Amino acid sequence: MPSTLSTFSISSFETTLTGFIPKLDLHFISSFLSRKPSKTKVSLIRSFFDACKIRKAKIPSNVRIAKALNCTPSLVCQIRTGYIRKKVIEKKNMLMTRKQEKRVMEILKNLRDKRKQITPKTLRAVVAKVCHKAPSHNFHSSFIKRHSEELMIVPSSVREEKRMKISEQSIITWKNYLTQYVNGKYSSMIFCADESGYHDHKDTRKVNLIIGTNENREINHTPVDRGEKRKSLLHCISLDGTFVPPCFLVQKPFNIRSLQSFGYQIGIHGCVEIGNSSYFTKELFENWIEKVFIPHVNIKRMILPDIHAQAVLMLDGCRIHLSDNVLTRLANENILLLILPPNTTHLLQSLDLSIFSLWKLQIQQVRSGSTHDSVEQLLWVAVNAILQVSSSINIFSAFKESGLVNDFHRAPSTARIFEESFQKVIEIVKLDNKSLPLSCTRQTRQTKGGEWGIMNIDKMPVYSGLPQ
């Protein structure tokens, strides 16, 4: 601790040094000390030596200086010889040593050379690995400031939207299919199913990217590949406002007992499949049809006037939905399979229009910035989120946007075509097709081919009551 400065008198200072320093030099030094008042004895002695150096004045002995400045000769000697060095004002990084910080910069350089995108989350992960300590959430700000000559932060940009030319006739034909095979059927027998995946709580948001100062700022798309493993969901909703218990798919390794410790109950909260991949395969989908979907349909038929009432399942044109086993099994259970027109899921798929976006938003809000959840914790959050967003009002809204509503004038309720939704979809298709020739909205994907419409009508039993 520097010695505190007691009362210092300029007059006594000049009296003590008179005869030891020339009068003009002494007057300059006194004025210098008066203009720059010091709070400690150390700073006062340093100011005295600074004034002598500027004036190039003769410096008296340490004892005489100590008497003039009211301090000890040893303190004057230490400062005069440079034993007490001037404190360097430098922000000390308590997290990393210089060697560790150099190592972090080398790792970042290797990532940039491999064209890997570096986010603040990536930087914090690298630092935690090198230092064996978890940095703060805003650590990247101070790190970038220390290396401002090499690194900088820029916001990511959204990739160009993939646009597809959709035929207006396809929308009209789909409406005719719904009018012929869905309109007037029991609402509890109308189903829509689809798969969705979840990677990370920032999948739909822009992020900050860390790049080199000499790199191109414009080509920095929002990263898609996340650190977390993908969790897939197979969900199915019904026009009567209910839903089939959700089916989740996670990649090995996975501890089902850890999930059950959070309160998960198989059957009540759905089912969980554990596989080598996090994407649904043909075998998994066939297993879901056989063990989950068909038993659910048969249970709902028991409360209808007609226990052989025909059901309708609407899916997209994914190849796993169109296997021979699926077509035959659904036909044997009097379930009609309707495949959506290509490239129209964002306009006609009920789950894509409402439920899945609400599901991901709910997960993001519940997690509230946490990126250290285990696979079991995240799956428990995802299960609760899909159960919360699959409310009757959300399901009714999703089907309404895709062109189907309930007719409650009959009991049980039946399906009815909602003309306003199809008019809105046709207007959107017309505007998109007009904007495609423009340079800023060029077509970036070829129109997907494949069969669509009624897929298993030739396999239906005689009692199905299909219109000829």
Side-chain angles (χ1 to χ4, degrees):
M1 287 286 297
S3 302
T4 57
L5 183 63
S6 59
T7 57
F8 170 69
S9 174
I10 292 293
S11 59
S12 63
F13 170 78
E14 292 179 346
T15 304
T16 306
L17 293 180
T18 300
F20 296 93
I21 297 178
K23 189 175 288 187
L24 290 176
D25 294 344
L26 182 59
H27 180 69
F28 174 82
I29 294 172
S30 301
S31 302
F32 186 86
L33 296 178
S34 300
R35 290 195 305 269
K36 293 186 176 181
S38 302
K39 295 182 179 181
T40 62
K41 291 182 179 181
V42 173
S43 60
L44 180 62
I45 298 170
R46 285 193 177 125
S47 298
F48 172 79
F49 284 119
D50 290 342
C52 292
K53 186 177 181 180
I54 294 171
R55 186 66 181 177
K56 295 182 180 180
K58 179 183 176 181
I59 301 176
S61 65
N62 294 338
V63 176
R64 181 60 57 179
I65 296 173
K67 187 177 180 180
L69 298 178
N70 193 21
C71 60
T72 60
S74 61
L75 184 60
V76 177
C77 180
Q78 289 176 358
I79 296 173
R80 190 171 187 174
T81 57
Y83 182 77
I84 299 180
R85 299 184 180 277
K86 190 174 182 179
K87 186 178 180 182
V88 178
I89 301 175
E90 182 178 357
K91 184 176 181 181
K92 187 177 181 181
N93 183 8
M94 301 301 293
L95 181 67
M96 294 188 294
T97 63
R98 292 184 181 275
K99 186 176 180 180
Q100 289 173 334
E101 192 152 355
K102 185 177 179 181
R103 174 60 182 157
V104 170
M105 288 296 294
E106 291 175 357
I107 295 175
L108 295 182
K109 185 178 183 302
N110 291 335
L111 292 175
R112 286 160 46 206
D113 292 341
K114 294 178 182 178
R115 298 185 179 276
K116 299 284 187 179
Q117 290 180 316
I118 304 172
T119 63
K121 178 182 173 182
T122 308
L123 173 61
R124 293 195 296 271
V126 171
V127 172
K129 185 176 181 180
V130 172
C131 304
H132 306 289
K133 295 179 183 178
S136 65
H137 188 72
N138 292 323
F139 168 80
H140 61 279
S141 300
S142 58
F143 186 86
I144 296 299
K145 286 181 181 179
R146 291 197 300 274
H147 301 278
S148 57
E149 295 182 357
E150 301 177 56
L151 301 174
M152 63 179 179
I153 295 181
V154 296
S156 62
S157 58
V158 180
R159 292 178 183 269
E160 183 181 2
E161 184 181 357
K162 293 181 178 180
R163 305 183 66 84
M164 303 144 284
K165 188 171 183 179
I166 303 171
S167 171
E168 184 181 341
Q169 184 59 41
S170 298
I171 306 298
I172 298 174
T173 304
W174 175 254
K175 178 187 171 183
N176 293 335
Y177 278 128
L178 294 183
T179 304
Q180 185 176 1
Y181 297 108
V182 176
N183 191 45
K185 285 188 169 59
Y186 295 122
S187 299
S188 58
M189 291 291 100
I190 309 301
F191 298 91
C192 178
D194 196 13
E195 300 89 2
S196 182
Y198 179 81
H199 274 283
D200 192 288
H201 72 292
K202 288 184 178 177
D203 270 351
T204 58
R205 300 181 181 179
K206 290 185 179 181
V207 296
N208 288 327
L209 297 178
I210 300 173
I211 65 172
T213 52
N214 57 348
E215 295 180 15
N216 190 352
R217 300 188 185 189
E218 297 179 359
I219 309 175
N220 292 289
H221 299 308
T222 302
V224 175
D225 187 17
R226 304 297 191 182
E228 288 183 345
K229 292 182 179 179
R230 174 186 167 94
K231 293 85 185 169
S232 295
L233 164 67
L234 175 55
H235 198 36
C236 180
I237 57 177
S238 177
L239 185 57
D240 64 345
T242 61
F243 58 92
V244 180
C247 179
F248 285 90
L249 174 63
V250 292
Q251 194 173 356
K252 296 179 182 178
F254 182 80
N255 189 350
I256 189 66
R257 290 187 177 181
S258 177
L259 177 63
Q260 290 174 336
S261 67
F262 294 110
Y264 181 87
Q265 298 182 30
I266 298 176
I268 296 177
H269 294 106
C271 61
V272 177
E273 296 285 347
I274 305 172
N276 296 323
S277 172
S278 58
Y279 291 90
F280 279 94
T281 60
K282 182 178 72 172
E283 292 74 17
L284 288 173
F285 185 75
E286 291 176 356
N287 187 53
W288 178 81
I289 289 288
E290 182 68 32
K291 296 183 178 180
V292 179
F293 179 69
I294 291 177
H296 181 84
V297 174
N298 290 333
I299 290 173
K300 295 183 76 173
R301 278 175 172 158
M302 299 300 293
I303 61 175
L304 294 176
D306 182 8
I307 60 173
H308 297 294
Q310 188 183 76
V312 178
L313 175 61
M314 292 178 283
L315 297 168
D316 58 31
C318 182
R319 285 180 293 180
I320 66 172
H321 300 158
L322 300 174
S323 67
D324 290 337
N325 291 337
V326 170
L327 297 179
T328 304
R329 192 71 185 92
L330 291 177
N332 291 339
E333 295 294 331
N334 196 20
I335 302 173
L336 196 63
L337 181 61
L338 264 175
I339 299 298
L340 288 158
N343 307 322
T344 61
T345 54
H346 62 295
L347 298 173
L348 301 175
Q349 171 62 271
S350 302
L351 287 162
D352 287 345
L353 288 170
S354 178
I355 303 296
F356 285 153
S357 59
L358 294 174
W359 173 58
K360 294 183 179 182
L361 181 61
Q362 178 72 6
I363 296 176
Q364 292 173 2
Q365 292 176 346
V366 171
R367 295 186 72 187
S368 63
S370 174
T371 57
H372 303 287
D373 295 333
S374 65
V375 179
E376 293 79 13
Q377 283 177 314
L378 180 54
L379 188 60
W380 177 239
V381 172
V383 169
N384 282 284
I386 194 62
L387 295 178
Q388 289 179 25
V389 302
S390 298
S391 62
S392 297
I393 189 170
N394 288 338
I395 294 175
F396 291 151
S397 175
F399 273 106
K400 185 176 181 180
E401 288 188 54
S402 63
L404 288 173
V405 292
N406 277 290
D407 186 358
F408 293 105
H409 292 91
R410 296 176 57 186
S413 62
T414 57
R416 181 170 60 84
I417 302 298
F418 190 64
E419 296 286 347
E420 289 81 354
S421 294
F422 281 102
Q423 293 175 2
K424 182 180 177 181
V425 170
I426 290 174
E427 289 176 3
I428 292 173
V429 170
K430 287 181 178 179
L431 289 174
D432 281 350
N433 291 341
K434 286 181 180 179
S435 64
L436 279 174
L438 302 178
S439 58
C440 59
T441 55
R442 62 188 178 84
Q443 184 176 356
T444 57
R445 274 185 57 182
Q446 297 296 325
T447 303
K448 183 179 177 181
E451 297 181 1
W452 60 279
I454 306 295
M455 300 306 298
N456 60 344
I457 190 172
D458 55 333
K459 302 177 185 292
M460 299 297 291
V462 178
Y463 63 80
S464 63
L466 284 173
Q468 300 297 326

